């Protein structure tokens, strides 16, 4: 960090109003700030002598970082743990900083991370995947085998079933990173699971379910219905153009599009076909949705349509007390494409459709944007999506009426951000 | 005649089709032998499929549990620090549902399968089949599901009726590709909500207390952020990388944080107590290997017999040195 401190302090280009405010702060930017016809232009001065150091010194050699990394000024754009959520660092989750991301693709280093028994370092040369059970020809594949199969690349979101689970009862966390950050989207590359199931000659009559098992210490196991396995599930080794990161399942994982993340078993070592579900720990003790009558909805695979405004969002502050802000966010559905996203700035009294960024693809994040001129009075921002099945994202009140507040999973409620008169943005529920 | 000829032609056609359709990549991978499948296949199903031969008693289970499980789950499975194993039966419909082995699981086979594949947390898959039967029996006994003299084997385990046997339902829209949602909203555009009232918000100061300066979670560039007039300086606290690797590899961090106490004390608390104390170093090495109790509260530390003497010495020397960085 030494070199950063040696550099000139950063001076942001300032809008007119901000410039005056900053000028009032005087000492913070000191003598380099100048008023020119009511606009300042501390940063603009860098375009004239004295030049900033980076314009005068020879930069570092090309490929100083053979594997590139973000600017040191971006060092705070990171995955974070939610304090107090879990007892161990081995069985926990790190959240994607949605508030800082553009577009729809999550950079690999920021993809949310969930492990149940720590992060294994799997040697791809020793790793094997076995397919057996109700199949004609049980087989063992090496990674070389898997990489030779006909591949497909598809952009999909991945969302933990417990995303937004902390907020069923009341507001619990301050930012969109913690309310919605068990969510990422990437271009995944691999083999369709159906290709491998054909390869081992699965029993079309008797086989109804697939058990997927990880090679990690937790040996995480989940039952996948054959309907999903044959539809669009993949055996994935590539993510955004490179091999999976260790924390996302290197060298190979299952990926079940549109289905709660725990089913996309990482560090995949075994697939078994069977005629009944296994009722593993992660589909009975956990990842089953407890209803008010004490019964649990089990095998709740699908992630229903959901959206959230990522900016402005909780923890931010609108510096200009009034003026233009673009409202932007993400929408997704485990059942297909996003058809429409509506935005409200008055807590749901009225709504208007936002623009959707193309391409809009099935079971992938869709970026929405809409213009907003804030008049300085308190506002309640919400987004509500509709998918191509016609399903409309529900209100929290409706979800609670149907499912109570103890179910943990599948909270896809409309999120509300309150804008206070001081520009502060707060996580609230209405 | 035609009947016969046609049938032959059809069969011939099918055979040709089959050859033509066989995937050209079918040579990839190799057959898995029955012996290999038997070694790889560790799962257990509710009907008992997959349970290996073996047996274990409640009494045998208690011995294993007390030395390898109680430090996280409590002497009677009651500790909620990691996951409570006992209690809560009948609580799932209440305002404070307790999710435990006794209250939530619908099949006892799930408990056997999970202990076998994932427990103890630091040394998963280290128990023999007999030991897994024994610990399963003991945890079920803590829930009053089996008697104190119970001995479990494949047949008796699969026969156990769990209290929450009928506590799950698949009658919902999440379980199929075209399932119907149980909660619906409408796409109203005008005059939708007549009354909007805030029902929940974080208390003032909460965010700062729990998360520190939340401005650090945002990029400084952009007019929709907190003002930050200085470049962000991120300080990373140096730690001894060799020791960190050892702490992680041996699962120490599951119970002890560097600066934060977990079930056990934080390393900096131990260092503060013993820094510079050469005699303490020998004692700590012994405690690390053989386990200890009483120095830091009621939770005992299980023996860490798998750590080599050299690694134990590296860790202890680091603590006694006052956690020096390298």
């Amino acid at each position: 960090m030494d070199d950063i401190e040696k550099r000139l302090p950063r001076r942001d280009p300032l809008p007119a109003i901000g410039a005056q405010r900053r000028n009032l702060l005087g000492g913070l930017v000191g003598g380099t700030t100048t008023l020119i016809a009511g606009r300042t232009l501390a940063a603009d001065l860098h375009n004239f002598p004295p030049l900033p150091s980076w314009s005068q010194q020879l930069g570092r050699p090309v490929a100083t970082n053979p594997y590139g990394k973000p600017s040191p000024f971006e060092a705070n754009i990171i995955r974070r743990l939610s304090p107090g959520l879990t007892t161990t660092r081995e069985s926990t989750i790190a959240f994607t900083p949605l508030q800082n991301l553009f577009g729809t693709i999550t950079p690999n280093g920021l993809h949310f991370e969930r492990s149940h028994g720590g992060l294994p370092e799997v040697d791809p040369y020793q790793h094997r995947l076995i397919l057996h059970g109700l199949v004609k020809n049980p087989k063992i594949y090496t990674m070389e085998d898997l990489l030779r199969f006909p591949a497909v690349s598809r952009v999909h979101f991945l969302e933990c079933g417990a995303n937004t689970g902390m907020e069923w009862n009341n507001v619990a966390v301050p930012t969109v990173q913690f309310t919605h950050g068990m969510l990422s989207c990437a271009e995944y590359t691999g083999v369709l699971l159906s290709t491998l199931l054909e390869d081992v000659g699965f029993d079309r009559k008797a086989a109804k379910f697939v058990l997927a098992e990880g090679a990690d210490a937790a040996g995480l196991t989940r039952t996948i219905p054959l309907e999903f396995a044959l539809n669009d599930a993949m055996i994935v080794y590539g993510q955004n153009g490179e091999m999976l990161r260790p924390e996302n399942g290197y060298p190979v994982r299952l990926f079940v599009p549109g289905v709660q993340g725990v089913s996309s078993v990482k560090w995949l070592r075994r697939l078994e076909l069977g005629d009944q579900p296994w009722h593993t720990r992660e589909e009975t003790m956990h990842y089953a949705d407890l209803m008010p009558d004490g019964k649990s909805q089990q095998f709740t695979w699908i992630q229903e349509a959901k959206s959230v405004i990522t900016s402005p969002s909780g923890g931010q502050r609108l510096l200009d007390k009034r003026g233009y802000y673009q409202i932007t966010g993400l929408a997704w559905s485990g059942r297909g494409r996003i058809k429409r996203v509506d935005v409200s700035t008055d807590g749901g009294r009225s709504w208007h459709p936002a623009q959707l960024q193309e391409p809009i693809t099935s079971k992938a994040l869709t970026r929405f944007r809409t213009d907003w001129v804030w008049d300085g009075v308190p506002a309640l921002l919400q987004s509500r999506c509709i998918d191509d099945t016609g399903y409309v994202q529900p209100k929290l009140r409706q979800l609670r009426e149907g499912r109570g507040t103890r179910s943990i999973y599948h909270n896809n409620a409309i999120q509300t951000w309150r804008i206070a008169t001081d520009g502060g943005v707060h996580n609230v529920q209405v | 005649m035609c009947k016969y000829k046609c049938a032959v032609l059809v069969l011939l056609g099918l055979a040709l089709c089959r050859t033509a359709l066989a995937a050209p990549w079918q040579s990839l991978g190799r057959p898995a032998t029955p012996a290999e499948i038997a070694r790889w296949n560790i799962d257990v199903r509710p009907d008992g499929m997959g349970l290996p031969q073996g047996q274990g008693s409640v009494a045998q289970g208690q011995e294993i549990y007390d030395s390898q499980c109680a430090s996280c789950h409590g002497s009677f499975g009651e500790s909620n620090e990691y996951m409570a194993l006992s209690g809560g039966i009948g609580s799932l419909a209440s305002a404070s549902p307790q999710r435990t082995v006794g209250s939530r699981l619908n099949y006892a086979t799930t408990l056997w399968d999970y202990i076998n594949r994932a427990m103890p947390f630091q040394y998963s898959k280290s128990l023999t089949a007999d030991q897994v039967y024994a610990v399963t029996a003991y945890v079920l006994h803590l829930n009053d599901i089996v008697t104190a003299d119970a001995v479990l084997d494949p047949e008796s385990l699969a026969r156990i009726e769990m209290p929450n046997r009928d506590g799950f339902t698949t009658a919902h829209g999440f379980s199929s590709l075209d399932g119907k949602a149980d909660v619906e909203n409408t796409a109203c555009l005008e005059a939708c909500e007549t009354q909007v009232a805030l029902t929940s918000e974080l208390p003032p100061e909460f965010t700062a207390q729990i998360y520190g300066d939340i401005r650090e979670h945002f990029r400084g560039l952009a007019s929709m952020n907190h003002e930050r007039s200085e470049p962000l300086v991120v300080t990373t606290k140096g730690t001894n990388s060799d020791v960190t690797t050892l702490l992680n590899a041996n699962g120490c961090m599951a119970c002890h944080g560097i600066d934060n106490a977990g079930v056990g004390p934080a390393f900096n608390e131990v260092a503060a107590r013993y820094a510079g104390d050469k005699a303490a170093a020998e004692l700590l090495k012994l405690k690390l290997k053989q386990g200890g109790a009483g120095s830091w509260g009621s939770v005992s530390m299980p023996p860490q017999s798998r750590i080599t003497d050299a690694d134990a010495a590296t860790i202890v020397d680091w603590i006694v040195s006052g956690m020096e960085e390298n």
Side-chain angles (χ1 to χ4, degrees):
Chain A
M1 294 315 295
D2 281 356
D3 340 336
I4 301 172
E5 284 163 308
K6 277 181 208 151
R7 290 182 205 165
L8 287 178
R10 185 180 53 180
R11 294 184 179 86
D12 303 333
L14 299 169
I17 299 167
Q20 285 160 13
R21 179 188 58 242
R22 182 166 293 204
N23 207 31
L24 291 174
L25 295 175
L28 288 176
V29 283
T32 57
T33 308
T34 309
L35 271 171
I36 302 171
R39 303 189 62 205
T40 37
L41 301 179
D44 287 359
L45 290 180
H46 289 314
N47 295 325
F48 303 98
L51 289 165
S53 59
W54 56 80
S55 295
Q56 291 184 298
Q57 291 166 5
L58 184 60
R60 294 185 201 175
V62 167
T64 295
N65 298 313
Y67 192 99
K69 50 186 181 182
S71 158
F73 291 101
E74 298 289 309
N76 61 329
I77 311 302
I78 51 173
R79 292 184 285 230
R80 289 186 174 84
L81 302 166
S82 188
L85 185 61
T86 56
T87 314
T88 78
R89 283 285 295 265
E90 287 76 19
S91 180
T92 193
I93 187 144
F95 297 76
T96 293
L98 298 174
Q99 71 273 25
N100 296 307
L101 300 185
F102 309 112
T104 55
I105 297 292
T106 312
N108 283 341
L110 298 176
H111 195 292
F112 84 91
E113 185 185 349
R114 167 60 161 128
S115 295
H116 294 76
L119 173 60
E121 278 208 21
V122 179
D123 177 347
Y125 297 94
Q126 292 182 45
H127 186 73
R128 300 288 183 270
L129 172 63
I130 186 169
L131 262 74
H132 70 104
L134 296 176
V135 305
K136 199 180 288 173
N137 309 306
K139 273 188 166 188
I140 292 176
Y141 300 102
T142 63
M143 283 308 300
E144 290 95 320
D145 292 330
L146 295 177
L147 286 159
R148 281 186 61 195
F149 270 93
V152 295
S153 293
R154 291 177 181 177
V155 174
H156 287 301
F157 76 84
L158 183 67
E159 183 186 23
C160 176
N163 200 20
T164 324
M166 291 182 278
E167 303 258 312
W168 269 107
N169 205 38
N170 48 264
V171 169
V173 291
T175 68
V176 71
Q177 180 160 18
F178 301 112
T179 58
H180 289 77
M182 301 185 195
L183 170 74
S184 297
C185 184
E187 185 205 61
Y188 296 98
T189 298
V191 190
L192 285 175
L193 178 53
S194 56
T195 305
L196 289 190
L197 294 181
E198 299 279 355
D199 195 47
V200 293
F202 72 100
D203 185 334
R204 287 167 195 278
K205 274 197 185 145
K208 296 279 183 286
F209 298 95
V210 182
L211 181 79
E213 179 178 83
D216 56 332
L220 186 125
T221 37
R222 282 277 297 188
T223 301
I224 319 293
L226 198 63
E227 179 193 19
F228 288 72
L230 292 175
N231 185 40
D232 55 1
M234 298 167 70
I235 302 295
V236 159
Y237 44 77
Q239 180 177 307
N240 290 337
E242 62 182 1
M243 284 293 283
L244 289 165
R245 296 286 175 93
E247 56 268 40
N248 298 125
Y250 183 89
V252 64
R253 78 180 302 171
L254 182 63
F255 191 88
V256 192
V259 168
Q260 57 175 318
V262 66
S263 290
S264 291
V265 175
K266 302 194 281 188
W267 315 293
L268 185 69
R269 76 185 282 269
R270 189 164 70 89
L271 291 166
E272 178 178 0
L273 281 97
D275 57 359
Q276 50 179 279
W278 272 261
H279 296 270
T280 72
R281 188 233 197 193
E282 313 307 343
E283 54 204 27
T284 51
M285 184 65 77
H286 301 297
Y287 303 99
D289 308 29
L290 185 60
M291 296 293 108
D293 65 358
K295 290 248 183 192
S296 298
Q297 293 190 340
Q298 195 184 13
F299 305 130
T300 45
W301 284 296
I302 293 277
Q303 294 294 100
E304 292 180 328
K306 184 168 174 179
S307 72
V308 66
I309 293 170
T310 56
S311 187
S313 65
Q316 288 182 311
R317 187 175 295 276
L318 307 190
L319 289 178
D320 297 333
K321 296 297 187 287
R322 56 196 70 223
Y324 172 77
Y325 291 98
Q326 184 176 62
I327 294 172
T328 183
L330 297 164
W332 61 100
S333 169
R335 292 203 188 277
R337 286 176 178 75
I338 290 297
K339 197 170 72 183
R340 196 174 97 197
V341 179
D342 299 323
V343 168
S344 172
T345 58
D346 57 14
R349 290 181 176 87
S350 64
W351 298 83
H352 70 272
Q355 300 144 21
L356 302 185
Q357 175 70 58
E358 299 282 346
I360 300 164
T361 55
S362 181
K363 305 178 189 179
L365 293 188
T366 297
R367 172 69 63 178
F368 64 87
R369 301 182 179 97
T370 192
D371 293 331
W372 182 47
V373 177
W374 187 38
D375 55 10
V377 302
L380 294 169
L381 305 191
Q382 298 180 333
S383 66
R384 178 186 69 193
C385 67
I386 304 168
D387 70 14
D388 61 5
T389 69
Y391 174 84
V392 184
Q393 184 184 4
K395 304 171 206 177
L396 187 54
R397 195 173 67 228
Q398 294 170 321
L399 282 175
R400 283 177 180 155
E401 280 164 9
R403 304 187 203 148
T405 58
R406 311 287 176 198
S407 62
I408 300 179
Y409 307 100
H410 297 98
N411 180 352
N412 64 328
I414 291 170
Q415 167 71 39
T416 309
W417 304 115
R418 178 172 73 85
I419 315 282
T421 45
D422 66 356
V425 188
H426 304 276
N427 181 13
V428 299
Q429 292 178 350
V430 294
Chain B
M1 275 311 275
C2 173
K3 228 178 192 176
Y4 173 75
K5 273 185 185 166
C6 293
V8 168
L9 281 174
V10 166
L11 283 175
L12 196 66
L14 280 176
L16 283 171
C17 264
R18 225 178 154 72
T19 316
L21 284 177
W25 48 81
Q26 66 178 355
S27 63
L28 295 175
R30 66 168 181 80
T33 67
E36 286 173 324
I37 294 169
R39 277 197 69 125
W40 282 67
N41 183 5
I42 60 169
D43 65 69
V44 171
R45 249 174 27 174
D47 59 3
M49 190 181 89
L51 279 171
Q53 285 311 308
Q55 64 167 42
S57 68
V58 169
Q60 289 163 335
Q62 177 170 10
E63 204 167 304
I64 301 161
Y65 181 94
D66 285 346
S67 65
Q68 301 200 49
C69 318
S71 59
C72 287
H73 295 292
S75 299
F76 303 100
E78 79 292 353
S79 172
N80 204 22
E81 184 79 22
Y82 291 88
M83 207 205 109
L85 302 180
S86 64
I89 295 176
S91 73
L92 296 182
S94 74
S96 308
Q98 295 168 55
R99 297 162 168 92
T100 74
V101 167
S103 74
R104 193 94 199 270
L105 288 187
N106 46 351
Y107 297 103
T109 47
T110 304
L111 176 62
W112 196 99
D113 177 83
Y114 187 70
I115 295 171
N116 183 52
R117 69 174 57 250
M119 288 288 125
F121 194 56
Q122 287 115 306
Y123 304 117
S124 75
K125 306 175 189 74
S126 63
L127 300 178
T128 64
D130 288 345
Q131 288 177 314
V132 178
Y133 281 109
V135 177
T136 301
Y138 184 64
V139 172
L140 292 172
H141 176 61
L142 289 174
N143 283 284
D144 295 325
I145 293 167
V146 301
T147 55
D149 58 357
V151 176
L152 289 185
D153 60 21
E155 288 71 35
S156 53
L157 178 66
R159 274 202 309 270
I160 289 171
E161 186 99 347
M162 296 296 280
N164 200 38
R165 173 68 187 81
D166 299 319
F168 291 82
T169 173
T170 54
H172 53 74
F174 295 100
S175 61
S176 62
L177 289 171
D178 54 1
K180 184 159 166 43
D182 60 335
V183 176
E184 301 256 13
N185 195 0
T186 53
C188 167
L189 287 175
E190 286 300 329
C192 305
E193 298 282 349
T194 47
Q195 288 201 317
V196 177
L198 293 189
T199 58
S200 179
E201 188 160 9
L202 293 174
E205 310 305 321
F206 173 88
T207 301
Q209 282 167 14
I210 306 292
Y211 296 87
D213 188 348
I214 203 72
R215 292 177 301 175
E216 299 294 307
H217 295 215
F218 294 87
R219 185 178 286 112
L221 299 166
S223 56
M224 276 197 259
N225 285 317
H226 291 277
E227 185 166 27
R228 189 187 290 126
S229 50
E230 307 248 328
L232 178 79
V233 177
V234 177
T235 52
T236 49
K237 195 174 169 189
T239 49
N240 186 310
S241 57
D242 293 344
V243 173
T244 309
T245 306
L246 283 179
L247 296 178
N248 282 320
N250 289 291
C252 310
M253 304 291 278
C255 294
H256 307 274
I258 300 285
D259 304 314
N260 307 99
V263 182
F267 287 109
N268 67 2
E269 294 177 274
V270 186
R273 187 183 289 186
Y274 296 113
D277 185 344
K278 288 284 175 211
E282 291 313 308
L283 177 74
L284 287 177
K285 280 178 214 168
L286 201 68
K287 283 196 164 195
L288 198 160
K289 297 272 289 184
Q290 297 180 358
S295 304
W296 297 94
S298 59
V299 179
S300 61
M301 171 160 146
Q304 307 295 319
S305 50
R306 288 151 204 254
I307 294 184
T308 65
D309 288 344
D311 288 350
T314 306
I315 293 170
V316 169
D317 290 346
W318 168 73
I319 294 171
V320 179
S321 76
M323 299 162 66
E324 261 178 14
E325 297 166 10
N326 69 348

